[in-house]
PDB file of all heavy atoms in Angstrom:
ATOM      1  N   GLY A 162       3.566  14.040  -9.388  1.00 97.00           N
ATOM      2  CA  GLY A 162       3.114  15.333  -9.793  1.00 97.00           C
ATOM      3  C   GLY A 162       2.452  16.066  -8.537  1.00 97.00           C
ATOM      4  O   GLY A 162       2.209  15.436  -7.481  1.00 97.00           O
ATOM      5  N   TRP A 163       2.384  17.289  -8.839  1.00 98.00           N
ATOM      6  CA  TRP A 163       1.646  18.146  -7.793  1.00 98.00           C
ATOM      7  C   TRP A 163       0.308  18.794  -8.504  1.00 98.00           C
ATOM      8  O   TRP A 163       0.446  19.170  -9.708  1.00 98.00           O
ATOM      9  CB  TRP A 163       2.446  19.350  -7.450  1.00 98.00           C
ATOM     10  CG  TRP A 163       3.574  18.961  -6.534  1.00 98.00           C
ATOM     11  CD1 TRP A 163       4.880  18.763  -6.690  1.00 98.00           C
ATOM     12  CD2 TRP A 163       3.513  18.855  -4.980  1.00 98.00           C
ATOM     13  NE1 TRP A 163       5.632  18.344  -5.580  1.00 98.00           N
ATOM     14  CE2 TRP A 163       4.631  18.484  -4.529  1.00 98.00           C
ATOM     15  CE3 TRP A 163       2.330  18.985  -4.134  1.00 98.00           C
ATOM     16  CZ2 TRP A 163       4.839  18.285  -3.104  1.00 98.00           C
ATOM     17  CZ3 TRP A 163       2.677  18.748  -2.817  1.00 98.00           C
ATOM     18  CH2 TRP A 163       3.747  18.326  -2.363  1.00 98.00           C
ATOM     19  N   PHE A 164      -0.665  18.680  -7.843  1.00 98.00           N
ATOM     20  CA  PHE A 164      -2.082  19.179  -8.348  1.00 98.00           C
ATOM     21  C   PHE A 164      -2.602  20.100  -7.232  1.00 98.00           C
ATOM     22  O   PHE A 164      -2.233  20.047  -6.137  1.00 98.00           O
ATOM     23  CB  PHE A 164      -2.974  18.027  -8.563  1.00 98.00           C
ATOM     24  CG  PHE A 164      -2.458  17.092  -9.535  1.00 98.00           C
ATOM     25  CD1 PHE A 164      -1.471  16.125  -9.210  1.00 98.00           C
ATOM     26  CD2 PHE A 164      -2.949  17.114 -10.917  1.00 98.00           C
ATOM     27  CE1 PHE A 164      -1.066  15.271 -10.247  1.00 98.00           C
ATOM     28  CE2 PHE A 164      -2.486  16.225 -11.799  1.00 98.00           C
ATOM     29  CZ  PHE A 164      -1.523  15.285 -11.590  1.00 98.00           C
ATOM     30  N   ARG A 165      -3.600  20.879  -7.712  1.00 98.00           N
ATOM     31  CA  ARG A 165      -4.184  21.852  -6.799  1.00 98.00           C
ATOM     32  C   ARG A 165      -5.714  21.932  -7.079  1.00 98.00           C
ATOM     33  O   ARG A 165      -6.188  21.597  -8.223  1.00 98.00           O
ATOM     34  CB  ARG A 165      -3.593  23.191  -6.795  1.00 98.00           C
ATOM     35  CG  ARG A 165      -3.781  23.935  -8.032  1.00 98.00           C
ATOM     36  CD  ARG A 165      -2.933  25.230  -8.060  1.00 98.00           C
ATOM     37  NE  ARG A 165      -3.225  26.031  -9.184  1.00 98.00           N
ATOM     38  CZ  ARG A 165      -2.510  27.137  -9.492  1.00 98.00           C
ATOM     39  NH1 ARG A 165      -1.483  27.591  -8.620  1.00 98.00           N
ATOM     40  NH2 ARG A 165      -2.734  27.840 -10.611  1.00 98.00           N
ATOM     41  N   GLN A 166      -6.537  22.182  -6.012  1.00 98.00           N
ATOM     42  CA  GLN A 166      -7.900  22.273  -6.338  1.00 98.00           C
ATOM     43  C   GLN A 166      -8.415  23.475  -5.390  1.00 98.00           C
ATOM     44  O   GLN A 166      -8.331  23.479  -4.112  1.00 98.00           O
ATOM     45  CB  GLN A 166      -8.709  21.044  -5.877  1.00 98.00           C
ATOM     46  CG  GLN A 166     -10.101  21.025  -6.269  1.00 98.00           C
ATOM     47  CD  GLN A 166     -10.688  19.615  -6.265  1.00 98.00           C
ATOM     48  OE1 GLN A 166     -10.218  18.770  -5.541  1.00 98.00           O
ATOM     49  NE2 GLN A 166     -11.810  19.528  -6.918  1.00 98.00           N
ATOM     50  N   ALA A 167      -9.011  24.422  -5.949  1.00 97.00           N
ATOM     51  CA  ALA A 167      -9.675  25.573  -5.372  1.00 97.00           C
ATOM     52  C   ALA A 167     -11.107  25.275  -5.224  1.00 97.00           C
ATOM     53  O   ALA A 167     -11.679  24.572  -5.917  1.00 97.00           O
ATOM     54  CB  ALA A 167      -9.424  26.966  -6.135  1.00 97.00           C
ATOM     55  N   PRO A 168     -11.652  26.014  -4.156  1.00 93.00           N
ATOM     56  CA  PRO A 168     -13.076  25.665  -3.938  1.00 93.00           C
ATOM     57  C   PRO A 168     -13.995  25.949  -5.175  1.00 93.00           C
ATOM     58  O   PRO A 168     -13.793  27.053  -5.903  1.00 93.00           O
ATOM     59  CB  PRO A 168     -13.485  26.674  -2.909  1.00 93.00           C
ATOM     60  CG  PRO A 168     -12.137  26.936  -2.131  1.00 93.00           C
ATOM     61  CD  PRO A 168     -11.119  26.913  -3.026  1.00 93.00           C
ATOM     62  N   GLY A 169     -14.831  24.956  -5.519  1.00 95.00           N
ATOM     63  CA  GLY A 169     -15.788  25.124  -6.675  1.00 95.00           C
ATOM     64  C   GLY A 169     -15.083  24.904  -8.022  1.00 95.00           C
ATOM     65  O   GLY A 169     -15.738  25.142  -8.969  1.00 95.00           O
ATOM     66  N   LYS A 170     -13.875  24.579  -7.908  1.00 97.00           N
ATOM     67  CA  LYS A 170     -13.111  24.285  -9.259  1.00 97.00           C
ATOM     68  C   LYS A 170     -12.669  22.961  -9.300  1.00 97.00           C
ATOM     69  O   LYS A 170     -12.416  22.180  -8.445  1.00 97.00           O
ATOM     70  CB  LYS A 170     -11.992  25.215  -9.216  1.00 97.00           C
ATOM     71  CG  LYS A 170     -12.427  26.754  -9.494  1.00 97.00           C
ATOM     72  CD  LYS A 170     -11.208  27.678  -9.829  1.00 97.00           C
ATOM     73  CE  LYS A 170     -11.564  28.976  -9.974  1.00 97.00           C
ATOM     74  NZ  LYS A 170     -10.342  29.894 -10.407  1.00 97.00           N
ATOM     75  N   GLU A 171     -12.306  22.440 -10.521  1.00 98.00           N
ATOM     76  CA  GLU A 171     -11.766  21.054 -10.791  1.00 98.00           C
ATOM     77  C   GLU A 171     -10.308  21.000 -10.229  1.00 98.00           C
ATOM     78  O   GLU A 171      -9.502  22.093 -10.413  1.00 98.00           O
ATOM     79  CB  GLU A 171     -11.941  20.688 -12.205  1.00 98.00           C
ATOM     80  CG  GLU A 171     -13.332  20.542 -12.653  1.00 98.00           C
ATOM     81  CD  GLU A 171     -13.474  19.973 -14.046  1.00 98.00           C
ATOM     82  OE1 GLU A 171     -12.541  19.858 -14.794  1.00 98.00           O
ATOM     83  OE2 GLU A 171     -14.696  19.666 -14.412  1.00 98.00           O
ATOM     84  N   ARG A 172      -9.846  19.836 -10.025  1.00 98.00           N
ATOM     85  CA  ARG A 172      -8.430  19.580  -9.692  1.00 98.00           C
ATOM     86  C   ARG A 172      -7.614  19.759 -10.982  1.00 98.00           C
ATOM     87  O   ARG A 172      -7.972  19.382 -12.100  1.00 98.00           O
ATOM     88  CB  ARG A 172      -8.175  18.255  -9.086  1.00 98.00           C
ATOM     89  CG  ARG A 172      -6.864  17.980  -8.529  1.00 98.00           C
ATOM     90  CD  ARG A 172      -6.909  16.739  -7.714  1.00 98.00           C
ATOM     91  NE  ARG A 172      -7.715  16.737  -6.531  1.00 98.00           N
ATOM     92  CZ  ARG A 172      -7.715  15.864  -5.646  1.00 98.00           C
ATOM     93  NH1 ARG A 172      -6.915  14.802  -5.712  1.00 98.00           N
ATOM     94  NH2 ARG A 172      -8.727  15.996  -4.617  1.00 98.00           N
ATOM     95  N   GLU A 173      -6.557  20.531 -10.785  1.00 98.00           N
ATOM     96  CA  GLU A 173      -5.621  20.759 -12.009  1.00 98.00           C
ATOM     97  C   GLU A 173      -4.208  20.382 -11.665  1.00 98.00           C
ATOM     98  O   GLU A 173      -3.754  20.545 -10.450  1.00 98.00           O
ATOM     99  CB  GLU A 173      -5.914  22.228 -12.341  1.00 98.00           C
ATOM    100  CG  GLU A 173      -5.425  23.293 -11.358  1.00 98.00           C
ATOM    101  CD  GLU A 173      -5.268  24.669 -11.824  1.00 98.00           C
ATOM    102  OE1 GLU A 173      -5.562  24.879 -13.028  1.00 98.00           O
ATOM    103  OE2 GLU A 173      -4.955  25.582 -11.098  1.00 98.00           O
ATOM    104  N   GLY A 174      -3.459  20.086 -12.773  1.00 98.00           N
ATOM    105  CA  GLY A 174      -2.175  19.794 -12.555  1.00 98.00           C
ATOM    106  C   GLY A 174      -1.412  21.052 -12.550  1.00 98.00           C
ATOM    107  O   GLY A 174      -1.608  21.928 -13.321  1.00 98.00           O
ATOM    108  N   VAL A 175      -0.323  20.956 -11.841  1.00 98.00           N
ATOM    109  CA  VAL A 175       0.640  22.052 -11.572  1.00 98.00           C
ATOM    110  C   VAL A 175       2.022  21.696 -12.121  1.00 98.00           C
ATOM    111  O   VAL A 175       2.591  22.487 -12.990  1.00 98.00           O
ATOM    112  CB  VAL A 175       0.763  22.489 -10.092  1.00 98.00           C
ATOM    113  CG1 VAL A 175       1.744  23.625 -10.009  1.00 98.00           C
ATOM    114  CG2 VAL A 175      -0.572  22.921  -9.514  1.00 98.00           C
ATOM    115  N   ALA A 176       2.557  20.554 -11.756  1.00 98.00           N
ATOM    116  CA  ALA A 176       3.780  20.295 -12.313  1.00 98.00           C
ATOM    117  C   ALA A 176       3.995  18.704 -12.144  1.00 98.00           C
ATOM    118  O   ALA A 176       3.315  18.122 -11.281  1.00 98.00           O
ATOM    119  CB  ALA A 176       4.990  20.927 -11.272  1.00 98.00           C
ATOM    120  N   SER A 177       4.767  18.134 -12.970  1.00 98.00           N
ATOM    121  CA  SER A 177       4.922  16.649 -12.916  1.00 98.00           C
ATOM    122  C   SER A 177       6.415  16.454 -13.263  1.00 98.00           C
ATOM    123  O   SER A 177       7.175  17.160 -13.906  1.00 98.00           O
ATOM    124  CB  SER A 177       4.017  16.141 -14.002  1.00 98.00           C
ATOM    125  OG  SER A 177       4.349  14.718 -14.159  1.00 98.00           O
TER     126      SER A 177
END
Side-chain angles (χ1 to χ4, degrees):
W163 285 97
F164 297 79
R165 67 186 183 187
Q166 188 166 19
K170 294 188 176 181
E171 293 187 353
R172 191 168 298 189
E173 63 173 354
V175 175
S177 177

